[in-house]
Amino acid sequence: MRIADVYKKERPVLSLEVFPPKPGHSLKSVFRTLDNLCDLNPSFVSVTYASQGESTLRTVEIASRVRNEYHCESLAHMTCIGHSKHEVASVLDNLEARGIENVLALRGDMPPDSSCISRDYNFASELIEEIAARDHFCIGAAAYPEGHIESKKISSDLINLRRKVDAGVDFLITQVFFDNRVFYDFRERAQHRNIEIPVIPGIMPILNYKQIKRIVMMCGVSVPAKLLYLFDKYSHDPEDLAKAGVEYAIEQVSDLVEEGVGGIHLYTMNRVPQIREIVFRSGLRKQK
Ligand code: FAD
């Protein structure tokens, strides 16, 4: 089913993101995770993409099994930077052959030395145009409530977001944010630019200080005072920080649902008990 149609039928749509194990590791661990996450009956599961070697095949394989074995809709992420047109066409052919209808079309992060990579693509909008021309896929793209880290101005990032939408995007999923006001402001600014497709908040629970610090630094997202307080309070107690992180995510999700968002996309980081707790306690699903 096309994910754009899911957003027309349900509110709030629950989606869960998982990532494939590192190259060289068996896929078993991600399927163990999925055994316990698909049981939550998410409306779709998204599978991240790493552009090196066998990783691309792993995303396609997992997304395909989510659909055919777990009977849950899947969204395959795909990046284009450093890929040739031929490589992109072959990934899309593979997705199409396996009956996958939904793709999250991304540029991907610039490698540290970008001078020696294939420059068939510079921006996600070019990939989106190509996917849209196939007339097979429902297309999602990334949105940045605080602006993409490379953008000098938030306003120019919004212009570029509009370019992606015009190229054929059906829905947007946001980068993580820790203050819901950031999302509400962004949603308004997107509406002023006549972006009328669903804009879905991406929520990442804080389960590990080092991991969050890395993400904050990599993505340039802001950390509100309330969160800094938690980091200080639990600096010597990782378990209590993770518990506080779950509470924080439940508060964020509950507030977003109350404000009428079309869906909640949870960055699960392949963690099961914490995600189940967030889903149940924020009322996204009822515990059987
Ligand atoms: P783009 O939309 O191309 O934007 C990149 C930068 O270029 C922005 O600063 C934008 O303002 C600017 N720009 C865009 N078009 C133009 C233009 N025409 N002229 C000038 N500037 C322009 N990464 C992965 O590797 N694998 C994943 O699975 C993955 N999943 C993600 C899922 C979500 C929901 C999100 C939010 C991000 C994900 N990422 C993933 C990270 C993403 O690849 C990076 O954030 C990347 O740096 C940008 O990708 P993009 O598709 O947003 O790029």
Side-chain angles (χ1 to χ4, degrees):
M1 186 181 208
R2 294 169 71 82
I3 285 172
D5 292 333
V6 178
Y7 286 119
K8 282 181 199 149
K9 281 194 351 201
E10 290 171 33
R11 182 176 287 257
V13 166
L14 167 65
S15 55
L16 304 175
E17 178 185 292
V18 297
F19 58 80
K22 287 191 184 125
H25 290 72
S26 144
L27 292 184
K28 271 188 193 152
S29 64
V30 75
F31 291 115
R32 267 199 305 274
T33 303
L34 284 165
D35 288 342
N36 293 298
L37 290 182
C38 286
D39 175 51
L40 292 167
N41 195 21
S43 298
F44 67 92
V45 166
S46 87
V47 186
T48 67
Y49 185 92
S51 58
Q52 308 90 358
E54 59 163 0
S55 303
T56 60
L57 293 174
R58 300 184 134 216
T59 300
V60 179
E61 164 81 17
I62 297 165
S64 163
R65 285 179 63 176
V66 163
R67 197 162 181 272
N68 299 321
E69 290 174 24
Y70 291 85
H71 307 292
C72 175
E73 200 44 73
S74 64
L75 170 66
H77 296 208
M78 148 166 212
T79 66
C80 59
I81 197 76
H83 282 304
S84 66
K85 296 245 175 203
H86 175 73
E87 285 164 343
V88 163
S90 127
V91 175
L92 291 171
D93 288 346
N94 195 358
L95 289 169
E96 238 182 285
R98 288 171 176 248
I100 295 168
E101 283 182 283
N102 302 290
V103 172
L104 191 73
L106 303 147
R107 183 198 68 180
D109 286 324
M110 282 289 184
D113 180 10
S114 58
S115 59
C116 55
I117 58 167
S118 158
R119 292 315 287 247
D120 280 2
Y121 301 90
N122 293 297
F123 302 112
S125 52
E126 296 154 8
L127 173 65
I128 292 159
E129 258 174 34
E130 233 166 81
I131 301 177
R134 288 190 170 227
D135 230 5
H136 170 83
F137 294 103
C138 174
I139 308 172
Y144 302 85
E146 298 180 76
H148 182 260
I149 190 149
E150 289 165 29
S151 284
K152 287 207 178 113
K153 281 164 59 186
I154 292 183
S155 56
S156 53
D157 202 45
L158 257 183
I159 293 171
N160 293 329
L161 181 64
R162 177 77 237 188
R163 281 198 176 105
K164 293 203 278 197
V165 174
D166 291 343
V169 168
D170 299 294
F171 62 96
L172 295 163
I173 300 180
T174 76
Q175 179 170 268
V176 53
F177 55 87
F178 296 112
D179 183 342
N180 287 357
R181 290 174 303 180
V182 164
F183 175 79
Y184 300 136
D185 282 355
F186 171 70
R187 195 169 58 168
E188 252 179 61
R189 278 184 279 115
Q191 272 160 7
H192 284 145
R193 293 242 166 230
N194 297 323
I195 294 177
E196 276 154 12
I197 56 174
V199 180
I200 306 305
I203 297 297
M204 179 178 287
I206 297 139
L207 303 177
N208 173 307
Y209 175 72
K210 271 196 187 150
Q211 190 178 40
I212 290 297
K213 187 176 167 194
R214 191 177 56 81
I215 286 161
V216 163
M217 292 176 78
M218 201 171 78
C219 304
V221 295
S222 56
V223 179
K226 199 173 165 189
L227 210 51
L228 283 177
Y229 169 77
L230 292 184
F231 290 153
D232 272 355
K233 184 169 176 193
Y234 298 115
S235 61
H236 300 295
D237 199 335
E239 260 183 45
D240 279 356
L241 176 65
K243 279 186 201 152
V246 167
E247 295 302 325
Y248 195 92
I250 292 169
E251 260 182 50
Q252 265 198 293
V253 170
S254 306
D255 178 66
L256 287 160
V257 171
E258 224 177 279
E259 287 293 319
V261 292
I264 297 286
H265 185 73
L266 287 177
Y267 294 102
T268 72
M269 294 170 292
N270 294 5
R271 301 283 283 266
V272 169
Q274 295 87 348
I275 294 298
R276 292 181 70 87
E277 188 175 352
I278 293 165
V279 167
F280 291 135
R281 288 195 37 222
S282 58
L284 287 168
R285 291 289 183 268
K286 286 203 168 69
Q287 199 155 9
K288 285 173 207 154

